[in-house]
Amino acid sequence: MRILVIGAGIGGPAVALALRRAGHDVEVYDRALDFTDVPPAAYLAENGMRAIKHLGLLEEVVREGNQCDRHEIRDFAGNLVAAFPTAGNGADLFTVTIKRTALIRILTNALVKEGVYVHTDKLLVDIEEPPIPGSLGVKAKFKDGTVAYGDILIGADGIHSGVRKVLFPNRNPSPIGFIGYYGITDLDPTSGVAWESHALHYYTDNANAKSCLLYRTSDTQIKWLVMELKPSEIVSHDSWQPWFDLYQKRAAIADMAARWGMPDLLQPLIRAAREIFPTTIYDMELLPQWYRGNCVMIGCAKHVMPPFLGHVSNVVLEDAEVLAALINRMPGDPRKAFRLYQESRHHRVARIAEAVRTHGRRHYSTSKFAAKMGKMMLKMVSAVGGPMSSDEIMSYDGQAAAVDILFRHGYI
């Protein structure tokens, strides 16, 4: 089959690579001119790394990233609230934190080796399908006037998905009131910018809905995210473009963090940032249907969840692996593969989304009583808490999930 993939972030190249290696003719399109200005980092837990391993890219990702050994949650006074390992029980994989541009480069380089071309500056504006019900075929129209033809189309184009806007125009993500400031800081002990830990650190003032998350993305870089609810001190922008007035903005964010009472050790990292990306935090309920006709969606195109647990990239990779495995096993009936993909994934994705929102409610409360209860719960739970355990999330295997749904429906 000829397959069009819209979106070249993480999910698009991952699904394209798996499909291409099965012999499909695949083309990838993305609205960006390049991939230098993208969210700073990706958190790949055991389940995400298992999908990376199945793509044959494990060693490259480990080499480029940081092996994250544990989570620590602290309040702004530095008191430990909760701590837990990042691996599941008996895990043979481990969590890696990596700069997103590095992960995208690894995935797209693998695509190029397979002969797949990534078309940039291609903003999708419309999709047409043949008038004959049940027949294959799709025509993608782009803003620059060009078109692309395929048998099926996969939307992997993120939060503000163009594919979703065409297929389900009334379903869009909504801001939840949080603004995030992502930063990347180069570690340079000789100049006083140092961070020895390889853990993921989360500092929270849940009574006032303010927080800071930070972790290494390599041996020489650290990523941080400062979040606040209903901000008034700094004007944000709804884009992933880095701030050009870097010196003023990093000083303003560091001063703001100091007024919040964040630990002093965080402020030098903020003041030394070489990039800062402001962003609005969105949420969107899971779509009741993830496909229409010859088109299907993965990742944030079909759902949007806040970054309160960091599992967005892992869910995207799971989606990509399961969908590709089903299409590869049912090349003559991709629409049936779409249906089985949603049936296999819907319950799990819904439960992870609920776990994320539960975790967010514990971190970001609106009263002192709720904040106290939230902190008590955080001390009692493991990595995720809520409706799913850490091991349940991280032990997932997309290949096995695809085989399971095929077996249950009598296809194998």
Side-chain angles (χ1 to χ4, degrees):
M1 282 193 300
R2 179 169 175 79
I3 302 173
L4 308 182
V5 176
I6 310 298
I10 294 176
V15 72
L17 186 59
L19 291 167
R20 176 57 182 162
R21 286 177 174 169
H24 296 288
D25 180 11
V26 184
E27 296 282 337
V28 180
Y29 301 83
D30 196 279
R31 58 176 169 257
L33 283 169
D34 56 50
F35 304 103
T36 56
D37 295 333
V38 295
Y43 169 89
L44 302 179
E46 180 190 339
N47 48 322
M49 290 298 290
R50 185 170 291 107
I52 291 292
K53 181 179 180 180
H54 292 162
L55 290 172
L57 302 175
L58 181 66
E59 291 184 3
E60 285 186 76
V61 171
V62 171
R63 184 169 60 248
E64 291 264 1
N66 163 68
Q67 294 186 34
C68 181
D69 53 6
R70 62 190 264 114
H71 288 187
E72 290 186 0
I73 301 174
R74 298 179 181 271
D75 60 26
F76 277 8
N79 300 311
L80 185 66
V81 176
F84 33 81
T86 57
N89 295 331
D92 60 345
L93 296 168
F94 36 78
T95 296
V96 169
T97 50
I98 184 171
K99 194 170 181 185
R100 194 172 295 250
T101 50
L103 180 58
I104 291 173
R105 173 172 43 79
I106 291 170
L107 288 165
T108 52
N109 284 348
L111 277 178
V112 171
K113 291 179 182 178
E114 297 289 342
V116 177
Y117 186 73
V118 178
H119 305 264
T120 57
D121 197 20
K122 295 293 182 181
L123 176 62
L124 182 79
V125 294
D126 200 8
I127 300 170
E128 292 183 2
E129 296 192 49
I132 305 173
S135 60
L136 293 181
V138 65
K139 177 181 178 181
K141 297 182 177 181
F142 301 100
K143 187 177 180 180
D144 62 2
T146 60
V147 297
Y149 297 90
D151 294 309
I152 63 173
L153 181 148
I154 299 173
D157 48 347
I159 293 175
H160 300 294
S161 169
V163 175
R164 186 198 324 119
K165 289 177 182 177
V166 174
L167 301 184
F168 305 102
N170 296 322
R171 300 300 297 266
N172 297 299
S174 300
I176 61 172
F178 281 92
I179 301 296
Y181 312 102
Y182 284 93
I184 288 287
T185 300
D186 293 324
L187 298 175
D188 183 5
T190 61
S191 61
V193 182
W195 189 264
E196 298 299 327
S197 175
H198 287 265
L200 183 149
H201 296 266
Y202 202 100
Y203 293 86
T204 178
D205 177 3
N206 58 338
N208 295 298
K210 303 180 187 302
S211 67
C212 181
L213 168 74
L214 66 159
Y215 52 74
R216 286 175 178 261
T217 57
S218 69
D219 290 338
T220 60
Q221 284 186 340
I222 192 166
K223 169 255 187 178
W224 50 266
L225 166 61
V226 173
M227 282 203 301
E228 58 174 334
L229 179 63
K230 297 180 180 177
S232 58
E233 299 185 48
I234 297 178
V235 177
S236 178
H237 305 279
D238 186 21
S239 75
W240 284 112
Q241 298 300 312
W243 269 324
F244 293 104
D245 51 344
L246 178 62
Y247 293 99
Q248 291 82 4
K249 286 299 193 295
R250 66 187 185 185
I253 294 173
D255 290 343
M256 181 179 71
R259 291 193 297 274
W260 291 356
M262 279 190 185
D264 292 340
L265 58 88
L266 303 179
Q267 294 168 38
L269 296 172
I270 297 173
R271 293 184 187 279
R274 67 178 182 86
E275 291 179 313
I276 298 177
F277 299 75
T279 184
T280 300
I281 307 301
Y282 287 91
D283 197 356
M284 184 185 78
E285 290 296 328
L286 194 62
L287 292 179
Q289 187 162 325
W290 302 356
Y291 58 91
R292 194 192 75 184
N294 297 318
C295 303
V296 64
M297 295 174 290
I298 65 173
C300 294
K302 63 171 174 54
H303 76 267
V304 177
M305 62 180 75
F308 297 146
L309 274 177
H311 277 292
V312 175
S313 297
N314 301 298
V315 172
V316 169
L317 287 166
E318 289 180 2
D319 282 350
E321 182 168 37
V322 173
L323 178 61
L326 291 171
I327 292 173
N328 289 339
R329 285 177 174 265
M330 309 179 75
D333 198 348
R335 292 187 179 193
K336 188 168 291 182
F338 297 169
R339 179 176 59 81
L340 294 181
Y341 153 69
Q342 177 169 338
E343 182 180 337
S344 173
R345 296 285 299 148
H346 190 280
H347 181 64
R348 175 176 170 82
V349 175
R351 293 185 69 208
I352 292 176
E354 180 55 31
V356 168
R357 294 177 185 119
T358 299
H359 202 69
R361 287 191 292 270
R362 288 172 182 161
H363 274 295
Y364 304 106
S365 306
T366 56
S367 69
K368 290 185 178 180
F369 174 77
K372 185 175 181 180
M373 293 300 296
K375 184 176 288 188
M376 290 176 59
M377 290 298 297
L378 285 170
K379 289 180 179 180
M380 295 171 62
V381 298
S382 61
V384 176
M388 296 187 77
S389 70
S390 172
D391 188 58
E392 186 179 1
I393 285 184
M394 291 193 285
S395 63
Y396 185 84
D397 185 322
Q399 295 284 354
V403 170
D404 177 71
I405 192 71
L406 289 168
F407 179 79
R408 285 192 282 120
H409 283 268
Y411 292 108
I412 56 174

